Each structure stands twice: as C-alpha cells, then as structure tokens.
Amino acid sequence: MNKNKILVTGGCGYIGSHTIIEILEQTDFEVISVDNLMNSSADTLDRIEKITGKRVKNYAIDLCDLAKTEEIFKENTDLVGIIHFAALKSVPESVFKPLLYYHNNLNSLLNLLKLVEKYQVNNFIFSSSCSVYGNVSKLPVNEQTPLSIAESPYAYTKQIGEVMIKDFVKNNEVKAVALRYFNPVGAHISGLNGENPINRPSNLVPVITQTAIGIIPEMSVYGYDYDTRDGSCIRDYIHVTDIAKAHIKAMNYLIEGKNEASYEVYNLGTGNGITVLEAIKAFEKVSGVKLNYKLAERRPGDVVAIYSDTTLSEQKLGWRTKLNIEDMMASAWKWQQLLLEEKKAK
Ligand code: NAD
Ligand code: WQD
C-alpha cells in the first residue's frame, strides 16, 4: 500500500494548525488530526477549511488514553508519519501544576511511541523547545550546546521526551527528528488563523496585540537595564509559518532516508536576536498604532538573551526562514483584529 497520510497531534492548536495548512497547500500528503481541544477549539478546523478549501478530520481524543488512541491507528492503516505537537506548553503553569505536565506530556508521548512500534509508523517528528537548553553561556545556541538543568517542569518534559524518543529508536526501524523551536509568533499571512490564548497571555506578541486593541490597558517591558543594546531582553522570534514549513522539510527528509542517524535534533530559529523594544517598534511601524507600555522590573526566570545558530537546519533540512519581524507583527495584528470583529458579531 502507498502510505501517504500524516497524523498531526495537536492539530487544532497554534503550530499544529499552521502546519496542517502548509501540508494541505504545499504537498500531496493527506492529513488527520488528533486533538482533545484542552487548549484549543474545533473552530480551528473551520479556519483551516477557509484558507485551504479542505476539511480535516480531527479525533477529539486524549492521547493519554491508549485504547482510544489505538482506534486511530486501526482506522488509518496508511500513516506514513506522525508530527507530534500535542502537549501543554505554559512554563509558569507547569511550575504550579508539575504533575499535570508530567502526566499529559509524557504519557501522551509514551502511548504514541507504543503505537508507532505496534503499527510501524516509521517517521516521527517531535515538537521540542529551546527551553531544553536552560541558561546558556554562549550564543548563538547550536545543537551541540549542552542541555543544562531544566528551568521548569515544562522544559523538563521536553528534555525527557527527547531522551525517550532517542532511546526508543535505537532498537527498531523508526526514524525521528526533534525540532527545538525558539519563539514562534505571528499568524497565517491571510490573518485568518492564529493563536487564540484562552487565558490572559504572558507571551510578548499576544500581549502586544491585545494592548494595541485595548484588551490590556498598558503592557510592561520586563527589564530595561540588561546588558543588551537597548537594555531589554533578546529573543529569536520566528514566524509560525516558517516553523510549519520546517516540519514538511523534516518529514520529507526522513521519508527519503536522508537522515544519518535514527534520531536527530534541529534548532528552528531565524538566527536574529531581537530586543523587546525592537519588537514593539516593529509592531508600531506595521500597525500604525502607538503602544501603551511602561518599562518595568525584570520578570523572574527570564534569560537575558537567546538566539539560534541556524547552520545545521539550513544544511541538512534545506530549510531557512523567509519571514521577518515585520511580517510576524503584521500577521499577528491582522489576526487580532479578526478576533475582535468575530467577538463583536457574536
Ligand atoms: P497549543 O496549545 O496551541 O497546541 C497544542 C494542542 O495539543 C492543543 O490544541 C491541545 O488541545 C492539544 N493537546 C494537548 N494535550 C493533549 C492530549 N493529551 N491529547 C490530545 N490533544 C492534546 O500549543 P502550540 O503553541 O501549538 O505548541 C505545539 C507544540 O510546540 C507543543 O508541544 C509545545 O510544547 C511546542 N512548543 C511551542 C512553543 C510556543 O511558544 N508556542 C515553543 C516551543 C515549543
Ligand atoms: C519574550 C520576551 C519577556 C511579555 C517562552 C517559553 C519558551 C517557549 C517560548 C515553549 C521576554 C518579554 C513578555 C510581556 C515583556 N515556549 N515580555 N512583556 O519567555 O522567551 O519563552 O515562550 O516552549 O519555553 O519560556 O517568551 O514571549 O514570554 O517573552 O517584556 O508582557 O518578552 O520578558 O524577554 P519566552 P515570552
């Protein structure tokens, strides 16, 4: 049988949905999703359909339930690969609810790997995070940078997840890639799909767009006296569509057998460090909106600066980012405005 279907876990979430859109628009793969909607909404399936003209089937199943998850594998015998996004992802929440994070992120992965083995779905991509590096002393961060002690239970679930996969693929036919994302931001370039934080956001870009639209009266820039070019922290913001495209590259790379090892790791960043104040300026430029912000105390747990070395992903996966900070801000702004219109229409 010609296996041509990809199972995307967490397909109704932020990065999963953007990846599904790119798969549908750029490839011949079929896609199904499994997402129990614990941090997303089934509306995302409508948004995907509006952009691509295609309806994706989502199994609203908890991946921590092995028996139910197995039904997906029984029904879909033509899976060529899995892209595993589903996880809880809030760093501060994981500090308060560590068991929830260990339970959800690790049991879901464990179940999937059992089924990967049983049903021989041999190409596996895992969403990891630059948070696995912890506090780094040398920039930019490359894949050889040693992992230091995780700063949060969330980051630790990613470190453990990577080890589980690495150990697992040693004794079977499965090939896996872990992609360590830096700071994914922005929305689909049409403005028709994006991140829709259920609670008050803590990440910079949703805070910026919610401030601009008036949901947040005034935002804080956490730290203005760091040893950086303008005193604010530096991050490697990367457009979610560039991240999405990297998954297609990585999946084809595995399917075509271009990998040298059965488990490989790649950073996904732009290589450009951007300060908080530069991000704000970029937003103001593309939106024409003056942001109401104040310079505030440092946020506990923040690292001063982190950005990626992009050499390996460029050389091996043949992937490089195309969208810049202004594209990220312009798309996030379009999306925020659509959310407001939808709210008014309700
Ligand atoms: P998201 O919360 O928008 O999407 C994750 C989806 O997984 C959600 O729709 C949620 O309902 C689903 N899910 C969670 N646990 C599940 C379970 N047990 N069974 C079924 N579905 C489940 O998050 P995102 O931003 O799209 O992140 C995707 C992946 O990328 C996550 O693994 C995250 O840790 C990783 N990541 C995200 C970022 C970021 O800043 N967004 C950065 C680095 C890594
Ligand atoms: C970016 C910068 C803040 C809000 C987190 C996770 C990481 C990864 C990505 C999952 C920092 C500053 C923010 C605000 C601000 N996620 N900021 N005012 O902390 O780099 O990374 O998301 O894997 O693991 O830790 O992202 O967007 O929260 O912050 O000044 O209201 O913006 O201090 O310098 P972070 P962020």
Side-chain angles (χ1 to χ4, degrees):
M1 190 206 308
N2 183 20
K3 293 187 176 184
N4 195 37
K5 195 184 281 172
I6 296 178
L7 171 63
V8 171
T9 77
C12 296
Y14 175 45
I15 307 175
S17 61
H18 285 87
T19 302
I20 289 178
I21 291 166
E22 293 311 305
I23 293 173
L24 293 175
E25 295 209 314
Q26 311 292 333
T27 78
D28 294 327
F29 291 120
E30 282 178 62
V31 192
I32 52 167
S33 161
V34 51
D35 192 313
N36 65 353
L37 308 175
M38 74 193 293
N39 194 38
S40 54
S41 142
D43 292 353
T44 307
L45 301 167
D46 302 331
R47 299 189 192 284
I48 293 173
E49 188 172 1
K50 194 159 183 196
I51 294 171
T52 65
K54 293 176 189 156
R55 188 78 190 172
V56 171
K57 180 174 171 70
N58 179 59
Y59 293 83
I61 283 172
D62 183 348
L63 289 160
C64 297
D65 184 329
L66 180 62
K68 283 196 183 142
T69 307
E70 181 160 10
E71 292 305 314
I72 303 173
F73 286 74
K74 284 185 186 156
E75 248 179 63
N76 298 276
T77 51
D78 50 351
L79 292 178
V80 65
I82 296 176
I83 309 181
H84 180 42
F85 293 103
L88 288 169
K89 63 159 177 178
S90 162
V91 172
E93 187 184 48
S94 78
V95 174
F96 290 105
K97 299 179 183 169
L99 296 186
L100 174 67
Y101 274 67
Y102 289 123
H103 166 76
N104 189 67
N105 293 2
L106 297 180
N107 283 322
S108 53
L109 175 60
L110 191 62
N111 284 345
L112 265 184
L113 295 180
K114 285 179 186 166
L115 295 167
V116 158
E117 184 164 55
K118 185 164 175 186
Y119 291 87
Q120 295 180 355
V121 184
N122 289 342
N123 302 293
F124 193 85
I125 296 175
F126 177 60
S127 292
S128 190
S129 161
C130 69
S131 60
V132 298
Y133 293 111
N135 273 313
V136 290
S137 48
K138 201 167 147 263
L139 291 169
V141 179
N142 68 31
E143 291 78 354
Q144 262 67 55
T145 302
L147 308 190
S148 47
I149 292 170
E151 298 284 315
S152 67
Y154 165 75
Y156 200 39
T157 67
K158 294 296 175 188
Q159 289 188 346
I160 300 170
E162 288 194 8
V163 173
M164 280 165 63
I165 297 167
K166 187 177 168 194
D167 289 343
F168 167 69
V169 299
K170 277 182 191 152
N171 301 311
N172 52 39
E173 297 295 301
V174 182
K175 301 170 283 181
V177 160
L179 298 174
R180 294 175 178 160
Y181 317 153
F182 279 64
N183 287 54
V185 298
H188 189 262
I189 217 76
S190 64
L192 296 175
N193 186 44
E195 187 168 23
N196 193 358
I198 292 172
N199 301 313
R200 188 184 162 131
S202 59
N203 291 124
L204 181 64
V205 174
V207 167
I208 287 178
T209 58
Q210 289 199 4
T211 306
I213 214 139
I215 300 173
I216 298 174
E218 182 187 46
M219 66 170 284
S220 298
V221 172
Y222 297 131
Y224 50 86
D225 54 359
Y226 284 108
D227 185 17
T228 61
R229 50 189 176 266
D230 62 20
S232 62
C233 287
I234 291 178
R235 294 289 181 276
D236 191 340
Y237 300 99
I238 171 168
H239 197 286
V240 64
T241 297
D242 277 326
I243 294 247
K245 288 186 166 146
H247 291 76
I248 298 176
K249 290 277 188 188
M251 184 55 82
N252 282 325
Y253 171 84
L254 287 180
I255 291 172
E256 289 162 16
K258 291 184 175 158
N259 54 306
E260 280 163 33
S262 49
Y263 172 75
E264 294 179 356
V265 172
Y266 295 97
N267 285 348
L268 296 186
T270 65
N272 298 321
I274 305 267
T275 69
V276 176
L277 291 169
E278 287 165 354
I280 287 176
K281 274 193 207 108
F283 177 83
E284 289 181 331
K285 184 176 163 202
V286 297
S287 68
V289 179
K290 191 95 193 68
L291 272 181
N292 189 21
Y293 69 86
K294 63 170 185 230
L295 301 180
E297 290 300 298
R298 295 178 178 195
R299 185 172 72 172
D302 270 342
V303 295
V304 183
I306 184 162
Y307 50 93
S308 172
D309 184 331
T310 59
T311 314
L312 198 67
S313 49
E314 283 179 12
Q315 282 177 357
K316 300 291 293 288
L317 301 179
W319 166 86
R320 69 176 65 217
T321 58
K322 295 211 171 83
L323 300 167
N324 62 25
I325 189 73
E326 292 181 2
D327 301 316
M328 300 176 210
M329 293 300 179
S331 56
W333 182 228
K334 262 195 198 172
W335 166 245
Q336 182 69 68
Q337 289 170 292
L338 175 71
L339 285 178
L340 181 69
E341 277 168 33
E342 285 182 355
K343 205 173 160 197
K344 279 187 190 154
K346 270 187 188 161

